[in-house]
């Protein structure tokens, strides 16, 4: 690497890290300067998370050096990292739901007076930090009462309480609306002006030019290039995946057949009302709408996960019993939930066990599971989907987000699902893995399956849908054919029954996410199940 800049805060040289059977990082270089946003870019599984865990003290490198302010350092834990002025905000927030905002900000470092916690000082100091990040949250508020956007700001305030000079942000916009993203970017720019060095990890390429100064690209555990943030997106993609992606949304419409899913008058009091639509064989129908429109709630009701008060669901022409997941699965309906970690996977089980979850009952005879058959089926589907793993026995928790999503979809493929409901199918997934998911959708519809896709990424909805159903305030506001479904047309319908809300709906790359309004009670740091 080049000689040290006088503004350099942090330098990583030749870092290597291996795990059993996997080389996670191999000779990676990276540096960060005072007052800059340095974007760390790479596919899921490229090694980004491993690298930041080196800096946070979660992992120790096998080889290479970490240099802070020109001095080589050893980071053996979170305390070492904090002492060096390094703070990390992970995708899954490190907050205690039952404690107050102030208690979370100063957890383990509460100011004391006469041996007792000085709550007055702690809350006053917390208020100063919260104002600095521009969020109006009472220091005494319980964290569990806050929405995703405010949790993000509390995490930033907590980092500032450590006098962090290096702030690492891992996918901070993944669950924010476009309006919340704008507020976050304003805070990041202020921190940059204050001289904080920011490592910013994102899969949203359009964010790079808007916020970044430099980009380091990691591919297959190696740093393959450092380029200006103004580098065109197609060049960034080529660096990231090692190939060009000619078509971002490679939809290949199949000949639509009979209606496999027909929903009529579906109503759940206070949540959604008189929702009707159908999805035909070989077709992708997208559901679009503002945050809070009821999209996810309808999907869960169709799948039987939640009850409804009126209406009917037919699959393949036959009525489907309501609020009965087993009946839905027996009829050939599958659901890939928006919260893949919380609802779609058993994280501490293996890839093989997760792939076999749906077919476990059908693969059993006289109470005994056909283990050999399950293994062969899991191996076949994992190869077909290109799941990157050390083996079928690898815990699914350790896979990248894109590969976890492939496992969630794969279990429904093994069950020969006829109607697949995809809720936010590419959230938190890099551009290369997204295209693989889209190609998988094409394969499903070409084989005669029906796909219902819910997404807060409006370009994704437009690019991959044969028809678009737009919801607003729990009702169907309209339906558009692919050739009529423009961003303006969708937005006009999405705000048609909710005046004054335009501009709070969609991100350009799944930024609208699961977050509801700031006062929505999602505090666990995972992707919430409601709010669409």
């Amino acid at each position: 690497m080049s000689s040290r800049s006088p503004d350099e805060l942090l330098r990583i040289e030749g870092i290597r890290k291996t795990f059993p059977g996997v080389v996670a990082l191999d000779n990676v270089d990276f540096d960060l300067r005072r007052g800059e946003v340095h974007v760390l870019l790479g596919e899921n599984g490229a090694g980004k998370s491993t690298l930041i865990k080196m800096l946070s003290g979660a992992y120790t490198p096998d080889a290479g050096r970490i240099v802070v302010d020109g001095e080589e350092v050893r980071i053996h834990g979170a305390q070492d990292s904090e002492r060096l002025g390094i703070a990390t905000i992970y995708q899954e927030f490190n907050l205690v739901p039952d404690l107050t905002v102030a208690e979370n900000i100063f957890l383990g470092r509460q100011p004391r007076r006469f041996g007792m916690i000085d709550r007055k000082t702690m809350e006053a100091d917390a208020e100063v930090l919260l104002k600095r990040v521009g969020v109006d949250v009472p220091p005494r508020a319980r964290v569990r009462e806050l929405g995703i956007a405010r949790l993000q700001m509390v995490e930033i305030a907590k980092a500032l309480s450590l006098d962090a000079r290096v702030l690492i942000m891992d996918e901070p916009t993944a669950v924010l609306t476009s309006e919340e993203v704008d507020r976050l970017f304003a805070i990041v720019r202020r921190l940059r002006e204050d001289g904080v060095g920011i490592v910013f990890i994102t899969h949203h390429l359009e964010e790079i030019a808007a916020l970044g100064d430099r980009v380091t690209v990691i591919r297959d555990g190696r740093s393959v290039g450092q380029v200006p943030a103004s580098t065109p997106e197609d060049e960034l993609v080529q660096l990231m995946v090692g190939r060009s992606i000619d078509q971002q949304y490679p939809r290949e419409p199949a000949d639509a057949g009979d209606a496999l899913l027909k929903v009529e008058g579906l109503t759940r009091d206070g949540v959604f009302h008189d929702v009707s639509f159908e999805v035909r064989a070989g077709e992708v129908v997208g559901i679009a709408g503002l945050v809070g429109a009821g999209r996810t709630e309808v999907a869960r009701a169709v799948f039987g996960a939640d009850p409804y008060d009126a209406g009917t669901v037919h699959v393949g022409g036959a009525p489907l019993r309501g609020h009965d997941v087993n009946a839905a699965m027996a009829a050939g309906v599958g659901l890939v939930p928006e919260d893949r970690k919380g609802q779609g996977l058993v994280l501490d089980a293996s890839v093989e066990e997760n792939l076999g979850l749906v077919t476990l009952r059908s693969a059993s005879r006289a109470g005994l599971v056909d283990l050999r058959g399950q293994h062969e089926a899991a191996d076949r589907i994992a190869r077909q989907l290109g799941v990157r793993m050390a083996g079928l026995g690898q815990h699914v928790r350790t896979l990248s987000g894109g590969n976890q999503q492939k496992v969630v979809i794969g279990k429904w493929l093994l069950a020969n699902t006829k109607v697949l409901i995809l809720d936010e199918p590419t959230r938190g997934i890099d551009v290369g893995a997204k295209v693989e998911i889209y190609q998988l959708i094409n394969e499903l519809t070409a084989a005669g399956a029906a796909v219902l896709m819910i997404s807060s990424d409006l370009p994704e909805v437009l690019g991959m849908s044969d028809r678009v159903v737009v919801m607003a305030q729990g009702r169907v506001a309209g339906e558009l054919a692919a050739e009529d479904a423009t961003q303006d047309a969708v937005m006009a319908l999405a705000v048609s029954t909710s005046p004054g809300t335009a501009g709070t709906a969609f991100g350009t790359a799944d930024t609208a996410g699961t977050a509801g309004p700031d006062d929505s009670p999602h505090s666990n740091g995972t992707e919430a199940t409601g709010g669409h």
Side-chain angles (χ1 to χ4, degrees), residues 440-459:
L440 179 57
I441 291 172
N442 285 336
E443 291 173 14
L444 284 167
T445 55
V451 174
L452 180 67
M453 184 178 73
I454 299 166
S455 177
S456 296
D457 179 353
L458 187 49

Side-chain angles (χ1 to χ4, degrees), residues 32 52 55-56 78 80-90 155-170 196-199:
L32 179 68
I52 65 174
L55 296 174
S56 66
D80 288 343
S81 183
E82 291 175 5
R83 178 176 49 80
L84 293 166
I86 301 171
T88 303
I89 300 174
Y90 293 103
E155 282 277 23
I156 295 173
K158 181 178 176 182
L160 296 181
S161 75
L162 300 166
D163 293 324
R165 297 176 303 139
V166 174
L167 180 60
I168 302 169
M169 306 182 80
D170 186 7
V196 177
I198 297 162
V199 181

